[in-house]
Amino acid sequence: MRFSRLVTANLMGRPVRSLLTLTGVAVAVGAVVALVGVSDGFEKSLLDAYESRGVDLLVLQAGKVQQTMSVLPESLGDELAKLDGIESFAPGLTDVVSLGDEGLMGVTIQAWPRDSPLLDQFQLIEGGPLSEAGPKTLLIGQSLSTALKKKAGDTIEVYEGEPFTVAGVYESYNVFENGAIVMPLADLQDLMFREGEVTAYTIIGKQHDRPFLEELAAQIRALQPGLEVAQTRDYAENAPELKTARAIAWLTSSIALVVGAVGILNTMLMAVFERTKEIAMMRAVGWRRSRVMRLVMSEALLLAFGGAVLGTLGAIVLLRLLAQTPSAGRIVSGDISGEVVLQGFVVAMLLGLLGGLYPAYRAARLTPIEGLRHE
């Protein structure tokens, strides 16, 4: 019998145990791919939101854990206008609200001046632009429109007692923007009691290479103390909120990973124990210890690989389904990058190695005499 046939036959000979182990590994890998995939999607969506508008730098208040906590004076714009390296800039204010009556949590509000070119970049599928709308109007993304069952002309009470009319519904390939609210800066400042204050400034430089942007960032920091200036890619990769999301994703996944590793270890130990005579006979007919170890390790790795395939497919299906729901569809894109899938398979192979190493070592130490004594 060929070596590969022997490996598969050993696993198929105990179908229930192999299936249970496969399921445990699939759950572990699926948790990694799904949770890390969502976290990775957050980072890509945040980066796309800036890069799609050509934003090079983001100016925030230094030391704040979340972007919404940043407070900058609107008068900083007068100082930014004096810098030669800036092509254009825009002050923005951000808030996160819960629309209690509709049962939606964590809805992002983005606000810019009515004459900001950033507002012109939204692709309207219904209604008209904010620049042509009256007071107390806003735009909503398509997925938020679906979740709220609101269209142009309808009213949304963003803050209690503060009704706004939906001027238009826009569509964006960015999952964050598709589930957000956009309104004029002055209106959001009034609602948040932050007159003359903004959350951040987005900067478009006259050149876009890193050395030029680093020099420009240094000039902006020198305008006043307490400014944090980051290139958009660096900010997206190191944003505190995203770091926290990644840490929670891996911490939650680690529990499932431990269960998966223990499952493989238990399965392979039981297999070695039940096949003591068989393994001893292999040793008696000339099998080297390295070949015995390779047999057991191959079985463990095959279980891990099968679990990785099932877990990855399950995670992809789950995220695609979540992306179709009104609530989760505002934050889950349903896409999983190849890098995250690769991480899932690497984790699975590590589970196979960790779970199969000791049973393989124990099997390799068996002698023909021990096989004859085994009952």
Side-chain angles (χ1 to χ4, degrees), residues 28-42:
V29 174
V32 171
V33 173
L35 294 175
V36 177
V38 170
S39 174
D40 184 69
F42 289 164

Side-chain angles (χ1 to χ4, degrees), residues 50 53 55 57-59 72 74 77 80 86-93 110-113 115-119 121 185 198-204:
Y50 292 124
R53 295 182 171 86
V55 175
L57 298 175
L58 191 66
V59 183
L72 295 177
E74 198 171 358
L80 292 173
I86 296 179
E87 177 73 28
S88 63
F89 65 89
L93 186 61
Q110 294 280 0
W112 294 287
D115 59 354
S116 173
L118 295 177
L119 293 177
Q121 297 184 20
L185 177 62
V198 297
T199 301
Y201 281 86
T202 52
I203 308 291
I204 299 176

Side-chain angles (χ1 to χ4, degrees), residues 258 305 356 361:
V258 170
F305 182 80
Y361 172 76

Side-chain angles (χ1 to χ4, degrees), residues 215-371:
E215 175 62 27
L216 180 58
Q219 295 177 24
I220 296 173
R221 293 189 194 97
L223 293 177
Q224 68 178 54
L227 294 181
E228 177 184 344
V229 186
Q231 296 188 39
T232 51
R233 179 170 295 277
D234 295 337
Y235 176 77
E237 293 176 352
N238 299 290
E241 302 98 321
L242 297 182
K243 282 187 175 180
T244 301
R246 283 193 292 266
I248 293 175
W250 279 107
L251 181 62
T252 305
S253 302
S254 64
I255 300 173
L257 294 177
V258 170
V259 173
V262 171
I264 293 180
L265 176 63
N266 178 70
T267 295
M268 299 315 302
L269 276 176
M270 289 296 295
V272 169
F273 178 78
E274 292 173 355
R275 292 156 55 196
T276 298
K277 285 187 176 181
E278 176 187 337
I279 294 172
M281 288 296 295
M282 291 177 179
R283 295 280 290 120
V285 298
W287 275 48
R288 296 181 178 180
R289 289 183 175 179
S290 60
R291 187 174 175 84
V292 173
M293 284 193 68
R294 189 153 59 92
L295 175 67
V296 178
M297 288 299 300
S298 296
E299 295 175 15
L301 291 173
L302 184 59
L303 281 174
F305 182 80
V309 173
L310 290 179
T312 299
L313 291 176
I316 292 174
V317 171
L318 175 62
L319 291 187
R320 292 286 172 85
L321 291 176
L322 287 175
Q324 302 303 315
T325 62
S327 55
R330 295 183 301 109
I331 57 176
V332 178
S333 65
D335 297 325
I336 297 179
S337 67
E339 181 181 351
V340 173
V341 172
L342 180 60
Q343 288 179 1
F345 273 83
V346 170
V347 166
M349 293 300 102
L350 288 176
L351 290 182
L353 288 172
L354 292 175
L357 192 58
Y358 175 69
Y361 172 76
R362 182 169 177 175
R365 289 180 58 85
L366 289 175
T367 64
I369 295 177
E370 289 178 89

Side-chain angles (χ1 to χ4, degrees), residues 97-105 107 144 148 156-158 181:
V97 299
S98 297
L99 304 179
D101 293 340
E102 289 79 10
L104 294 180
M105 307 288 288
V107 179
L144 183 61
L148 295 175
I156 297 178
E157 196 169 285
V158 180
I181 295 173

Side-chain angles (χ1 to χ4, degrees), residues 130-152:
L130 278 181
S131 58
E132 301 175 4
K136 287 206 168 186
T137 55
L138 49 76
L139 303 177
I140 59 175
Q142 185 182 34
S143 61
L144 183 61
S145 172
T146 302
L148 295 175
K149 297 180 180 178
K150 300 284 186 179
K151 60 183 184 300

